[in-house]
Every structure is written in C-alpha cells, then in structure tokens.
Amino acid sequence: MTSEVGVLLRDLPPVHRLLHSKEAQSWLQEHSRTDVLLSLQSAVDTLRASILAGERPEVTDEATLAMARTYLHRRTGQNLRPVINATGTVLHTNLGRAPLAKQAIAALVEVAQGYSNLEYRLEEGVRGHRYEHVEALICELTGAEAALVVNNNAAAVFLVLTELAKEQKVVISRGELVEIGGSFRVSEVMRASGAELVEVGTTNKTHVRDYADALEAGAKLVLRVHTSNFRIIGFTSRPELSDLTTLAHEHGAALIEDLGSGSLIDLRERGIGDEPTVRESILAGVDVVTFSGDKLLGGAQAGIICGKAQWITRIRQNQLARAVRVDKLTLAALEATLRLYIDKGYAMAHVPVLRMLTRAPEELQEEADRVAHDLAAIVAGQAQVRVVPTMSQVGGGALPSEQLPSYAVAVSPHVCSVSALMEQLRLRERPIVARVVKEEVLLDVRTIFPEEFVMLVQGITEALAQAAQTNG
Ligand SMILES: *Cc1c(COP(=O)(O)O)cnc(C)c1O
C-alpha cells in the first residue's frame, strides 16, 4: 500500500461522525435509523473500494453525505411506482393495464384506511359474503342471474372448469385453443382442471355439426373462448353463439364462454372494434361467462364470473374459490367502477380506459401541438421536436387488429443517441415509457393524463441533458 492510499483511507469520514451531521440528522425525520446508517455505510464502503482500486475520490464529509443521500433515496424509494405511459397502448399489461376512475380510487382508499363490512350484513348484524357487494350490480349490467368475482380472469376460467368440467368431456373448437400470454394456454388449463378435451373443427372453420357430433357422443360441456389476442382473417366460420347454446341445451349440456376482455358497453357504436358485450352472451343463453375486471371494463384486476344461478352457486362453493378469492381493495374499486356503468354516458366520461379509447383525433392533435410547442421552446438546440400522426393500440389482448388514429410528439435528439434518451427517460424518478419509430422517440399523447404534461416536458428536458452528459 502506498502512503498516499494510506492517507486517503485515514481521511475517510467515520460513519458515526456523518450520522451526527446536521444533514444526516434531518434524514431521520423521514427515514428509519437503519436505512440512514446503512446508506452512510454504503457510501463509505464505496469510497474505500474506489481508493483501493487506485482512484482518488473526494473524501470530504459533504461528498460522502451526497453519495449517501443518493443511496438512501434508492433504498427507500418504492420499486413499484407510477410511470408516464407515452406508448399509446391503453391497456398495457406491463404498465399495469387500466388506470382507475377517481371514484374507484376514492372507494379503495376509504376501505383501506380502516375496517369495512366486507363479510358482514349490516342490516341483520350477521356474517355476510364478500361477493354480495357487487353481485346485484353485475347482474343489472349484464342480465345474468348470479355472479361472483375472483382474483383475475385466468383464475375465473380455471375455477369454472375445475367445478364444471372435471372428468367431463368438454367440447372446444380447434380455432379457439389459444394461448393468452404468460403461458396461459386454454388446452392446458382445461387438462389441469381435469377435463377431457374433445377438439372439434379446424383452425379456421368449425360448424354446428362438429359440436353436435361431440355432444351426441356424450360431451356435457361446451367451452367457447373469445380469441381476443389474434384474428384469423379470410376463409373462416364459427357458429352463432345462440345456435350453439340451443344445441348444447338440447343435449342437456351447458355452455361456458371465456370472453377475455368482456365489454359492458358496446364500443362498436363508437366505431371501435368488434368486441361483443357480456349482455349479448347472456342473452344468447350462455350458462357461465367469465371476463376481466381490468381490460375494457377499466376497473381493478379481477375475474368476473356470471350466468345462471344453478352453476354460479356450485362454482362459489368449490374450495378453489377460497384460493383465488378477491380482496377488499379490489372489490371496493370494482364496485365503484361498476356503478359508473349504470349510466352509459357517465361511464364514457369517467372510466379512464373508455375515455382514452374514444378521444377525438383533433383533441389529441391539439394536445400534441401544445406539448411540442412547450418542449421545443426549451430544448431547441438539443433536439428536433415535431408532431406526427401515429396509431395507438387497445392492448391487453383486446381488439388486436384495432388501430386508433392518434398524434405523438416526436423527438430526435442532436446531443445523444435515441437509445440513450430512451434510457434516461426510463430511469427517471417518474419514468417515461415511450416508443422508438424510425429513429425518433415517439410520445403518443392518447395515454398521457393532462396533469402529467408539465412533468413530461420537464422529464424530457432533463433526460436530454442527462443523456448528453452520459454520452460524454
Ligand atoms: C386476458 C384473457 C384472459 C386472462 O385474463 P386475466 O384477467 O389477465 O387473468 C383469459 N382469457 C382470455 C380470452 C383473455 O383475453
């Protein structure tokens, strides 16, 4: 060890002295002593390692405290935290799918703060059931006789099949044996639930006759799956839902439908996609329908199961229902979201997913213009900023072929690479997730909340400066 290294090591501030500094003491008002101590220790350790590696770091108290402050923020900051979604994909599964309506957030915060009547009937003063809070609402909105809610739609499908399909022959069209994502494959979920698969038809065409043959051979259940995340285009056909339910019932069989997204509002009326509503399925005579709470519905993550009372009662009693049960926060948010749907216009105005999906291109262009104007005024020398037309996606495995015309702010940096800018945008305290199209960073305004615009402009400005610095 050279004497110079020895001197530097000796000058390293001791942790107890740093801890008693005014700065570190102020940290103790918001952070635990353990977090503060460990952050100070990490800073000293890092400096020591750097000295031993032959570097000459600044070892003053101020420099060490500055380093410890960064460590403290990193240690104590939430890992799961809000991001600005500038991808334009409304139901982005990686970014948490549906943002909740204000009413849903208020309801879940209230329930989270204290006790609630989760499983308690206030009028009678006796034990109740958690499903009771939303069952009547779901029935009113879908026309179903009964309903229950579980953790997510994958759990809903598994629970329904486990109760109704176990050791039964279950008919499914080869065109509906889909993989939904996250290795959730309809065929495997069916096998895991103990069902005996009877595959009928072909990938592109399945006829009523194919189902009839299987039912005549003793199948007691028909499973219909909405192929939500892909489309087969061209020479295709599958039976009308009502023809299939009639056929199933004639053979004493039941029909279960996994709708995937399951809309409560007819978005086709607004010129968006071809997503069937849950009510249509119930009207067509489907015995049990399952769908997600956080796809087109725009609520919390949940799986909704509704249909005929005789089946729902059985499903509710299955012991697996306890393993996939819904929690009180989700129920609070879901109930508040469902209440918005009592009035269609109210839902369109208040459910963020519906609002984002139906925003007018002119309004999006105006917003993009405004952001681009504000941004260009600050970063003129460092990047080219313009507004470009783009296409947003619905996402979440819903309406895969639907493209929504939108507008984006396009940023081409002069001072760094596109990937360096993307990285700095992601690494911010309030990360910004964007897309790269043809060597430009595209920020689609469809999925950005108006209250995020100021943060967005500031974020891009700082990310550009940071990226330029990092670039050297
Ligand atoms: C999305 C989807 C599921 C899974 O729903 P989650 O709520 O994500 O668990 C199941 N089936 C279909 C057809 C889907 O589109």
Side-chain angles (χ1 to χ4, degrees), residues 45-92:
D45 289 348
T46 305
L47 288 172
R48 180 179 298 112
S50 144
I51 294 166
L52 290 173
E55 290 158 19
R56 298 283 166 270
E58 194 187 324
V59 295
T60 59
D61 285 16
E62 292 73 44
T64 315
L65 284 166
M67 198 181 232
R69 196 187 315 123
T70 308
Y71 288 148
L72 183 64
H73 284 154
R74 222 178 278 166
R75 274 189 71 79
T76 56
Q78 271 283 107
N79 287 328
L80 177 59
R81 59 193 204 272
V83 307
I84 295 177
N85 176 9
T87 66
T89 300
V90 177
L91 296 168
H92 200 304

Side-chain angles (χ1 to χ4, degrees), residues 192-407:
S193 69
E196 186 187 326
L197 258 77
V198 183
E199 297 177 23
V200 296
T202 61
T203 309
N204 56 329
K205 284 205 169 207
T206 305
H207 306 287
V208 175
R209 188 71 243 154
D210 298 319
Y211 284 96
D213 289 345
L215 288 163
E216 272 149 32
K220 281 286 160 261
L221 214 56
V222 176
L223 178 62
R224 174 109 147 178
V225 179
H226 185 56
T227 55
S228 37
N229 55 6
F230 77 103
R231 288 282 182 279
I232 296 180
I233 297 170
F235 190 57
T236 65
S237 81
R238 65 174 196 166
E240 285 292 323
L241 192 54
S242 53
D243 292 343
L244 216 49
T245 52
T246 306
L247 179 76
H249 295 156
E250 276 168 9
H251 289 80
L255 192 141
I256 300 169
E257 186 179 31
D258 173 18
L259 263 185
S261 203
S263 188
L264 293 180
I265 277 189
D266 197 347
L267 287 168
R268 291 166 295 195
E269 287 173 3
R270 322 257 160 176
I272 298 172
D274 52 2
E275 198 71 17
T277 64
V278 181
R279 184 177 282 280
E280 281 168 63
S281 292
I282 296 291
L283 271 176
V286 174
D287 294 273
V288 178
V289 182
T290 70
F291 58 103
S292 276
D294 60 347
K295 287 187 181 171
L296 286 177
L297 182 76
Q301 180 192 301
I304 300 173
I305 305 171
C306 65
K308 307 228 168 97
Q310 72 177 114
W311 306 116
I312 301 297
T313 307
R314 271 180 59 184
I315 293 162
R316 201 181 280 151
Q317 283 160 0
N318 188 289
Q319 58 175 344
L320 187 65
R322 175 65 175 75
V324 296
R325 84 174 176 188
V326 65
D327 84 299
K328 62 180 179 180
L329 303 185
T330 300
L331 266 178
L334 185 65
E335 181 185 345
T337 307
L338 290 170
R339 286 191 187 286
L340 301 174
Y341 277 93
I342 298 291
D343 182 298
K344 219 197 292 187
Y346 205 71
M348 294 306 292
H350 287 95
V351 177
V353 166
L354 298 179
R355 215 172 47 208
M356 285 181 187
L357 286 175
T358 53
R359 293 181 67 187
E362 307 81 64
E363 183 195 325
L364 295 164
Q365 186 173 18
E366 249 170 59
E367 263 178 16
D369 281 342
R370 217 157 359 109
V371 173
H373 176 268
D374 290 355
L375 185 63
I378 308 173
V379 302
Q382 297 149 282
Q384 189 204 319
V385 180
R386 61 193 192 114
V387 171
V388 295
T390 186
M391 289 290 179
S392 315
Q393 311 262 323
V394 179
L399 303 168
S401 47
E402 195 67 15
Q403 301 263 317
L404 309 165
S406 184
Y407 285 88

